[in-house]
DNA sequence: ATTAGGG
DNA sequence: CCCTAAT
């Protein structure tokens, strides 16, 4: 996994110089963005908690940011930061390091910019990022983090010595961080994360990415860009909600960041988001981009077997199935976003519901008509190409029945399976297997266990598909 | 464009 | 999952 991730990262890094920084952050945030939006959409008890937590931060802030507080908070942050970096190095971040240096050269102006605007921004961001993405983006963040960090250390000692104005920012951030780490609530954590990000970015004068992420609308982004200090329409909600606004102002007043770095969204972002919105809205077609960069996992993978006119198919799906699959999609999405953010190339776990659906489809249409099954039963899931269905079926056969010498082995396998299939499902699969010998049956019947021989258990409409058997016969002979 | 098989 | 060959 880790090793797998590296190549992507490296490629990305080399491909884009400046964009790299932003890119590396956004993909991950996207996932959270949805959640945040949910939260925003329907304020619930979470909000209360969030508010409470953040109020603490505010209070601290308003306490004039005493030096003690500040230093304490900072220490905390710093520690975390170091830890993060260390871990990175441990994972063979040498390559990353190189890349970072390489990129640094090309980004001197950028660095200077940030630097000038805010000497502390580097360190600030550094630990901030580390805190926020302890695991998921450990590989990515360090790049940016170290990069900026270097920049900050270039001129001033890594210390936070000469930055009085940034004290506010730091203390605030670290407070938030602390609270986040304290709060075990995932949702809350995410909220805080976003918030922190937001704050930080505004400090650094490059809020675009984050905003973008949170509110995938171009207008929003622009709004944000235009009004640096003013609360932005949507984000303002977050900010005001958490009273972080004040901190932002402090920072800003102190340093006067240059909001002139409008290099933010990058058409890539716009594209990305337009595409994403399209994708999430309806898993329809989205050809916007080739598959070069690490794609957003939550969206469908274009791939070759693209079914052409699946649009009207939705109606064919019974609502039961439709809803099921849709909710599945969501589940999968969130699941993936939480777990596999990097190897996200492909791989979508098959849920039990999906498996059942697949089995149903096979029962109805027979083996081999995967496009049909896909269109009828999996129309709502843009991923899951017919080939995928076939593969899955193959795997199901392999795991649940066929080619097992005796029931013992099968049972054992089923038991030891990581994600054991419910017996009924297994049974069905076996039944189907007896009549649809997919992987090819060289020797007679597959399941020596419960092959009822003459009985065609296909209650759901006989296999309208004789080809499979014929083909098999042919091949066998 | 789909499917079967193999990796 | 991905890729390729065969339909």
């Amino acid at each position: 996994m880790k090793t797998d991730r590296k190549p992507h990262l490296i490629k990305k890094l080399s491909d884009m110089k400046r964009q790299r920084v932003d890119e590396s952050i956004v993909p991950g945030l996207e996932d959270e963005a949805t959640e945040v939006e949910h939260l925003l959409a329907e304020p619930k008890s979470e909000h209360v908690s969030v508010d409470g937590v953040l109020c603490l931060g505010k209070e601290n802030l308003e306490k004039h940011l005493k030096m003690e507080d500040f230093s304490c908070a900072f220490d905390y942050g710093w520690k975390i930061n170091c830890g993060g970096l260390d871990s990175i190095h441990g994972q063979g971040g040498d390559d990353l390091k190189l890349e970072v240096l390489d990129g640094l050269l090309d980004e001197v102006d950028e660095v200077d910019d940030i630097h000038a605007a805010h000497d502390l921004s580097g360190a600030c961001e550094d630990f901030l990022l580390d805190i926020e993405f302890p695991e998921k983006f450990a590989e990515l963040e360090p790049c940016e983090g170290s990069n900026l960090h270097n920049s900050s250390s270039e001129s001033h000692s890594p210390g936070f010595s000469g930055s009085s104005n940034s004290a506010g920012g730091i203390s605030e951030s670290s407070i938030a961080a602390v609270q986040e780490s304290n709060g075990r609530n995932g949702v809350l954590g995410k909220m805080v994360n976003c918030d922190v990000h937001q704050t930080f970015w505004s400090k650094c004068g490059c809020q675009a990415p984050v905003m973008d992420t949170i509110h995938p609308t171009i207008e929003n982004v622009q709004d944000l860009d235009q009004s640096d200090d003013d609360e932005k329409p949507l984000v303002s909600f977050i900010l005001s909600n958490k009273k972080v606004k004040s901190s932002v102002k402090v920072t800003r007043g102190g340093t006067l960041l240059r909001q002139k770095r409008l290099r933010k969204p990058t058409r890539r972002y716009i594209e990305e988001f337009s595409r994403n919105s399209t994708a999430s809205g309806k898993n329809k077609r989205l050809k916007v981009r080739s598959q070069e960069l690490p794609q957003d996992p939550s969206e469908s993978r274009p791939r070759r077997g693209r079914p052409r006119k699946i649009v009207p198919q939705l109606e064919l799906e019974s609502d039961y199935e439709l809803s099921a699959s849709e909710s599945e999609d969501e589940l999968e999405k969130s699941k993936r976003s939480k777990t596999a953010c990097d190897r996200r190339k492909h791989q979508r776990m098959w849920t039990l519901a999906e498996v059942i659906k697949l089995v149903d489809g096979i029962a109805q249409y027979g083996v081999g008509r995967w496009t049909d099954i896909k269109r009828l039963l999996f129309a709502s899931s843009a991923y899951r190409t017919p080939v995928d269905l076939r593969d899955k079926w193959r795997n199901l056969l392999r795991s649940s029945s066929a080619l097992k010498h005796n029931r013992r082995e099968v049972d054992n396998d089923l038991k030891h399976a990581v994600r054991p299939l419910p017996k009924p499902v297994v049974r069905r699969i076996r039944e189907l297997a007896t009549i649809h010998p997919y992987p090819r049956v060289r020797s007679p019947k597959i399941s020596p266990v419960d092959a009822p021989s003459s009985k065609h258990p296909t209650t759901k409409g006989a296999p309208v598909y004789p080809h499979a058997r014929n083909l098999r016969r042919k091949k066998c002979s």
Side-chain angles (χ1 to χ4, degrees):
Chain A
M1 227 158 60
K2 311 262 178 192
T3 53
D4 191 5
R5 191 167 357 187
K6 206 158 67 172
H8 289 308
L9 173 61
I10 290 179
K11 188 192 175 191
K12 237 184 350 186
L13 287 173
S14 50
D15 276 354
M16 19 192 173
K17 301 297 186 182
R18 163 59 192 152
Q19 297 172 2
R20 168 175 63 73
V21 176
D22 295 340
E23 281 284 338
S24 59
I25 297 180
V26 170
L29 284 174
E30 282 175 13
D31 296 328
E32 326 231 319
T34 57
E35 309 218 7
V36 173
E37 277 176 337
H38 283 317
L39 287 176
L40 291 176
E42 30 183 344
K44 289 256 168 71
S45 52
E46 285 100 338
H47 259 316
V48 179
S49 53
V50 171
D51 248 338
V53 176
L54 290 162
C55 274
L56 289 178
K58 184 205 175 182
E59 283 177 9
N60 283 338
L61 269 181
E62 288 176 346
K63 278 181 190 168
H64 309 304
L65 310 165
K66 302 204 165 193
M67 252 340 230
E68 310 103 71
D69 291 343
F70 152 65
S71 57
C72 278
F74 188 88
D75 278 348
Y76 180 85
W78 183 249
K79 224 190 274 177
I80 292 181
N81 170 31
C82 290
L85 287 177
D86 284 345
S87 65
I88 302 310
H89 287 284
Q91 295 178 9
D94 292 339
D95 292 337
L96 294 180
K97 226 18 190 241
L98 291 177
E99 290 293 341
V100 168
L101 291 177
D102 182 30
L104 200 57
L105 294 177
D106 293 292
E107 301 177 21
V108 179
D109 54 333
E110 289 290 340
V111 172
D112 279 346
D113 211 357
I114 294 175
H115 182 25
H118 213 105
D119 5 14
L120 240 172
S121 60
C124 175
E125 176 180 6
D126 206 348
F127 83 81
L128 251 181
L129 291 174
D130 277 329
I131 292 174
E132 291 175 12
F133 306 102
E135 305 173 81
K136 289 198 217 162
F137 300 94
E139 284 83 353
L140 288 177
E141 302 310 341
C143 286
E144 181 173 45
S146 53
N147 182 357
L148 290 171
H149 177 58
N150 286 343
S151 69
S152 71
S153 57
E154 268 177 22
S155 53
H156 301 292
S157 58
F160 345 87
S161 43
S163 45
S164 56
N165 47 36
S166 44
I170 282 191
S171 66
E172 179 265 334
S173 313
S174 42
I175 287 168
V178 171
Q179 270 148 16
E180 182 208 337
S181 61
N182 283 343
R184 281 287 161 260
N185 186 343
V187 182
L188 171 60
K190 278 185 177 139
M191 277 295 257
V192 176
N193 271 355
C194 286
D195 179 47
V196 172
H197 254 298
Q198 146 64 25
T199 308
F200 158 67
W201 280 106
S202 0
K203 258 178 239 154
C204 291
C206 31
Q207 64 274 78
V210 178
M211 310 315 225
D212 223 350
T213 304
I214 298 178
H215 305 288
T217 329
I218 299 175
E219 296 118 86
N220 287 337
V221 176
Q222 285 173 344
D223 268 0
L224 295 174
D225 286 339
Q226 289 175 341
S227 55
D228 189 9
D229 47 348
D230 303 22
E231 26 275 300
K232 349 324 212 224
L234 292 173
V235 181
S236 66
F237 179 66
I238 304 178
L239 287 178
S240 60
N241 229 356
K242 320 188 162 171
K243 279 80 173 182
V244 181
K245 183 173 50 181
S246 55
S247 75
V248 175
K249 266 184 183 158
V250 170
T251 307
R252 195 176 178 286
T255 34
L256 244 252
L257 356 135
R258 296 184 200 171
Q259 55 178 10
K260 234 40 264 170
R261 316 191 319 137
L262 294 181
R263 199 172 307 176
K264 20 69 227 216
T266 313
R267 35 208 149 270
R268 290 186 62 121
Y269 280 141
I270 299 175
E271 253 182 46
E272 179 87 20
F273 284 115
S274 62
R275 185 179 55 117
N276 278 338
S277 59
T278 313
S280 57
K282 224 63 233 204
N283 290 336
K284 283 301 110 88
R285 44 197 41 220
L286 37 159
K287 280 246 146 85
V288 183
R289 210 148 13 94
S290 59
Q291 57 279 52
E292 48 157 22
L293 50 157
Q295 295 250 324
D296 175 19
S298 54
E299 62 120 30
S300 69
R301 90 191 106 109
R303 236 160 96 166
R304 22 108 228 278
R306 224 58 274 263
R308 44 302 129 109
K309 62 248 173 131
I310 52 176
V311 184
Q313 298 301 340
L314 278 177
E315 291 154 294
L316 292 179
E317 226 175 19
S318 68
D319 27 10
Y320 142 71
E321 281 166 336
L322 176 62
S323 62
S325 60
E326 293 234 310
S327 59
E328 262 166 49
D329 282 11
E330 298 309 320
L331 283 178
E332 280 304 306
K333 250 181 223 172
S334 55
K335 199 188 294 180
R336 283 174 52 73
S337 64
K338 271 165 201 145
T339 56
C341 284
D342 30 275
R343 66 81 136 95
R344 72 224 254 154
K345 199 68 164 266
H346 7 58
Q347 302 258 356
R348 212 172 201 118
M349 285 303 251
W350 276 76
T351 64
L352 176 61
E354 278 178 314
V355 171
I356 292 175
K357 221 162 42 169
L358 173 61
V359 172
D360 281 340
I362 292 174
Q364 291 178 132
Y365 304 102
V367 169
R369 303 181 52 171
W370 276 293
T371 43
D372 292 331
I373 299 177
K374 193 275 190 287
R375 270 162 38 196
L376 295 176
L377 267 50
F378 289 84
S380 58
S381 24
Y383 49 95
R384 295 318 180 215
T385 68
V387 175
D388 291 332
L389 301 185
R390 180 180 53 79
D391 287 340
K392 181 55 180 175
W393 175 245
R394 209 199 299 176
N395 290 334
L396 285 177
L397 281 187
R398 206 172 33 182
S399 65
S400 70
S401 76
L403 301 174
K404 244 46 203 260
H405 311 321
N406 55 51
R407 186 184 215 93
R408 276 263 179 277
E409 289 188 25
V410 176
D411 280 357
N412 275 340
D413 280 16
L414 289 176
K415 247 181 195 174
H416 295 141
V418 185
R419 204 169 40 149
L421 267 52
K423 289 164 209 141
V425 177
V426 175
R427 275 194 65 79
R428 292 193 62 191
I429 293 174
R430 273 194 213 149
E431 286 179 355
L432 288 174
T434 64
I435 67 174
H436 301 295
Y438 179 67
R440 201 182 263 167
V441 190
R442 37 200 62 193
S443 52
K445 279 309 180 189
I446 5 175
S447 52
V449 188
D450 56 357
S453 59
S454 59
K455 192 175 46 181
H456 278 225
T458 345
T459 31
K460 346 243 151 188
V464 204
Y465 203 67
H467 306 341
R469 181 146 286 79
N470 289 341
L471 281 175
R472 168 186 132 250
R473 280 275 170 78
K474 229 199 283 184
K475 276 173 182 174
C476 281
S477 62

